[in-house]
Amino acid sequence: MKINPGGALALEDIVGRDSLVGEIMDALEIQSLQLVAERRMGKTHVLSKLEAQQRDGWIMVKRDLEGVRSANEFVQYVMADLHPVLGKVKKFRDWLASIGSEAAGLKIGPVTLPNFTAKTWKQGLVDTLAHLGDSPQTERVVFLWDELPMMLQNLSKTSPQDAMELLDVLRSIRQENAKVRMVFTGSIGLHHVVRHLKQQGYVNAPVNDMVTMEVPPLAHADAVSLALRLFQDNRIALAENAVAGVVAAEVDNIPYYIHHVLSKLRSKHAGSTHRVTADDVHKEVADAIRSALDTWNLKHYEERTREYYAGDRAACHALLDAVASSVDSMPMQSAINRAKSVVPTVDSESWLELTHLLERDYYVVRDPESGELRYKFSIVARWWRWHRGISVNKGGTA
């Protein structure tokens, strides 16, 4: 296996996800779903594993929507992705020919798709998917839509009404077309997009019919196995196999960071007589956290608060600073009180809402018994402390 931090992995190199993929496939028998997780957790790789699944009569359609800027463009891509199936259906071909006089859109081989106007893209989407009923061999079409929230966010800035209507049309399709399943995932939370749209008058609950499943870090045993395989396949000698476990634990069992650690160790030690120790691993992780170059792109956790929290950004940072000040968990009210001393203008209900949003955005978690707060990922907590100069109450270090 090659070390590949941040790149697209071959299917055989995506480890520890077979059980999750099986659970998702079983869920799709019943309903559509949102696949949620912190960035760099491997959501796109899980989609790739899903795309490769073959069940009789199922068609998996994977599409990255990050660059889509209009509802019309989105509908064209849906038609393009379904054309290999529906192009064999006479009713679909006749329907496509009947609207072909509209301005030309995407071209696929000999077929030119229509460039729908604002008034007709909704009907075009509904009609396209309705033709799946005329394809008897197709039992289920599963749309794997990566970065759908980002597409909707882009759309909400230029045409919020289209973003609202697209969410509603997709929900209606899921309700009315038994052959269709949808998987939404992306690097930003859909709840932020919906929250922004509600501030502009949107009143619906567009995804309350979808189950939510999380892509967690790897199980520790899988993370250790991944690290050990990367050591062995890339000729990086180990002082002892237990060092692979140190790599996994240091980066919360997240495969993206495991690849990064091994990439750095390879550049220093591959093919040499040096045997990598636990101290070597600790040093590489600490150096990455402290690096002004931010090779692991950890500053994203601070930068994205501009988009996520807008006018509440100062309060958000104050609360995250408070939680970061302890290496242990902290009572929620203690964290709020500490943050309130920095931003005194925020009322109690807003502090509670902000805390819940930070949970949904994977910054913090609450202990299921005590309700105390801590960072969800130690790697983020350590970076936050170091780069924001947060003093640790109980002698913790970056």
Side-chain angles (χ1 to χ4, degrees), residues 207-258:
V207 292
N208 64 355
D209 62 315
M210 302 175 77
V211 68
T212 300
M213 298 182 70
E214 182 177 353
V215 179
L218 296 178
H220 184 65
D222 289 327
V224 173
S225 178
L226 170 62
L228 189 58
R229 183 178 168 189
L230 289 173
F231 273 113
Q232 294 169 344
D233 289 357
N234 293 275
R235 298 186 304 114
I236 308 169
L238 287 165
E240 55 181 341
N241 284 351
V243 173
V246 175
V247 173
E250 277 281 289
V251 296
D252 303 304
N253 301 316
I254 299 172
Y256 169 76
Y257 298 119
I258 292 174

Side-chain angles (χ1 to χ4, degrees), residues 4 20 32-33 45 48 69 103 117 127 136 152 159 166 170 178 181 188 203 213 220 224 241 267 308 328 352:
N4 188 3
L20 175 62
S32 297
L33 62 90
H45 286 135
S48 296
R69 291 293 188 271
T117 65
D127 288 348
L152 289 167
S159 182
L166 181 54
L170 292 177
R181 296 287 186 271
I188 64 170
V203 296
M213 298 182 70
H220 184 65
V224 173
N241 284 351
S267 68
Y308 281 17
D328 301 314
L352 291 174

Side-chain angles (χ1 to χ4, degrees), residues 11-72:
L11 284 176
E12 62 271 18
D13 292 339
I14 303 172
V15 303
R17 297 306 191 189
D18 290 344
S19 177
L20 175 62
V21 168
E23 291 175 17
I24 293 171
M25 291 295 288
D26 289 342
L28 288 170
E29 292 277 5
I30 302 169
Q31 64 191 121
S32 297
L33 62 90
Q34 294 187 84
L35 198 59
V36 300
E38 183 50 90
R39 71 191 304 272
R40 301 299 192 183
M41 204 58 61
K43 296 184 295 295
T44 301
H45 286 135
V46 171
L47 290 188
S48 296
K49 295 277 280 188
L50 282 169
E51 184 184 27
Q53 294 293 305
Q54 293 294 328
R55 290 194 178 181
D56 290 343
W58 284 43
I59 295 172
M60 313 298 281
V61 178
K62 181 171 175 282
R63 169 72 65 178
D64 185 336
L65 300 173
E66 181 176 355
V68 176
R69 291 293 188 271
S70 70
N72 168 59

